Amino acid sequence: TSSKEARNQKNPLFSVNYFDREIRKDMASHARETVQFPRNVCNAMLRMYLYMFDHNVRKPYRIKDLELRRLRHAQVAGADLGYLKSLVGGFFQRRMFQPSDLRLSESARMTLKREWKTPLKNKPEVLWKHLTA
């Protein structure tokens, strides 16, 4: 798809363009033409995963359309509503996982175990005790 095409809902890359716009709007270190940047790569990756969770699981799919407002982005993508409710309900109340039980992508595993390297930083990242259980 040409980058010169209109970035509207008819564009095949609409969902990617939309999410990119939301990240740039909501996360200062991802704004265009800025001198802001994350000082710690592990923390930046963790913030991105939390932002993706909030965007996909908690944020309404459409704000103005009352019918679509009841849906979440993950529901539109095909996730089960009961599963999403259980995720949100327990997110702030209980430990959601045992690290050894999870099947994670390489990027998620590196983020969870704080293995990303921050340039010019020589000290290893602090790994929280509950993640090594």
Side-chain angles (χ1 to χ4, degrees):
T1 302
S2 171
S3 63
K4 295 178 182 179
E5 280 190 39
R7 295 187 178 200
N8 56 24
Q9 291 181 347
K10 294 177 183 173
N11 189 317
L13 294 176
F14 172 74
S15 59
V16 176
N17 292 329
Y18 165 75
F19 191 62
D20 180 58
R21 185 189 72 204
E22 291 292 298
I23 290 170
R24 291 181 187 281
K25 174 178 70 81
D26 294 335
M27 299 180 75
S29 61
H30 292 276
R32 290 183 182 180
E33 299 177 18
T34 182
V35 294
Q36 295 181 3
F37 56 90
R39 292 183 297 178
N40 184 302
V41 175
C42 290
N43 292 343
M45 290 297 292
L46 187 57
R47 278 192 302 271
M48 181 60 74
Y49 273 103
L50 289 172
Y51 182 81
M52 289 185 333
F53 173 82
D54 187 63
H55 178 83
N56 290 321
V57 177
R58 298 182 66 206
K59 185 178 178 184
Y61 180 63
R62 292 280 184 256
I63 303 296
K64 293 181 182 177
D65 187 336
L66 295 178
E67 190 67 29
L68 293 176
R69 188 178 195 155
R70 293 182 294 123
L71 299 175
R72 302 294 179 247
H73 290 270
Q75 280 180 274
V76 175
D80 178 54
L81 179 60
Y83 175 71
L84 295 177
K85 284 185 177 181
S86 71
L87 275 179
V88 173
F91 190 78
F92 298 105
Q93 296 174 353
R94 69 181 187 278
R95 187 172 175 183
M96 296 298 291
F97 56 83
Q98 292 291 341
S100 59
D101 297 340
L102 293 177
R103 289 183 294 151
L104 299 171
S105 67
E106 184 65 16
S107 173
R109 186 195 61 75
M110 287 179 68
T111 299
L112 190 61
K113 292 192 172 195
R114 302 183 61 78
E115 293 176 347
W116 294 101
K117 301 289 184 220
T118 300
L120 305 178
K121 184 176 181 183
N122 297 326
K123 293 182 186 177
E125 292 294 327
V126 175
L127 182 60
W128 304 299
K129 289 181 183 178
H130 70 276
L131 292 177
T132 59

